[in-house]
Amino acid sequence: MPITVTAPEGVFIPAGEREILPRLSAALIEASDATGNSFFTAIVGGTVHILPPRHIYAGGANRPVVMVELKLPNIALGSIEARKIFIAAAARIVGELCVPSHKPENTWINIVNAPDGGWGIGDRQYTGDALIAAATAAAR
């Protein structure tokens, strides 16, 4: 379940670039109620993209926005409450890892869902039912 973080250079504290993805991954696993599930944990990952500040825009103007995009199968974070928990955790994590001048309104979190069967690992396509079965088997 890829997490993509895009941020301008200089917005994270020195440890921020290194810590952002592990902390967001842990927040996703916790919000999904999957702590300790080896299957679920193994399929959470992502990338951090640090760009020159001149390449980040919002509202048509150059602005130091940190964007967190989460791509999930449509069964993951399946309730509004679970999405709310993840968004709050992600905003808190970004705030903790950014320089003090970073404003909360410059943190954007977006959850994108793949349609059923639009999720794959290697050459294996997973439906929602297949993902649930794999995660349930790993929890035993």
Side-chain angles (χ1 to χ4, degrees):
M1 298 184 194
I3 302 168
T4 304
V5 177
T6 305
E9 291 172 338
V11 78
F12 285 122
I13 61 173
E17 289 180 34
R18 181 181 66 253
E19 291 181 21
I20 189 77
L21 207 54
R23 290 184 60 187
L24 289 172
S25 297
L28 172 58
I29 292 164
E30 185 175 330
S32 300
D33 199 26
T35 301
N37 187 296
S38 61
F39 176 80
F40 193 92
T41 298
I43 62 172
V44 175
T47 56
V48 177
H49 303 270
I50 305 299
L51 302 176
R54 70 182 183 278
H55 291 281
I56 307 283
Y57 285 81
N62 188 244
R63 203 164 114 198
V65 176
V66 174
M67 292 174 252
V68 176
E69 183 174 83
L70 182 56
K71 296 179 186 122
L72 299 174
N74 61 357
I75 57 147
L77 294 181
S79 70
I80 289 175
E81 184 60 28
R83 292 186 290 273
K84 180 180 179 180
I85 289 167
F86 175 77
I87 288 170
R92 178 184 46 76
I93 290 164
V94 169
E96 291 170 1
L97 296 177
C98 283
V99 295
S101 61
H102 182 74
K103 297 176 182 174
E105 63 267 22
N106 286 331
T107 298
W108 296 2
I109 299 134
N110 186 18
I111 299 171
V112 179
N113 289 121
D116 195 33
W119 191 258
I121 300 171
D123 66 351
R124 180 166 180 193
Q125 175 202 37
Y126 282 90
T127 63
D129 289 341
L131 281 166
I132 290 169
T136 300
R140 292 185 192 141

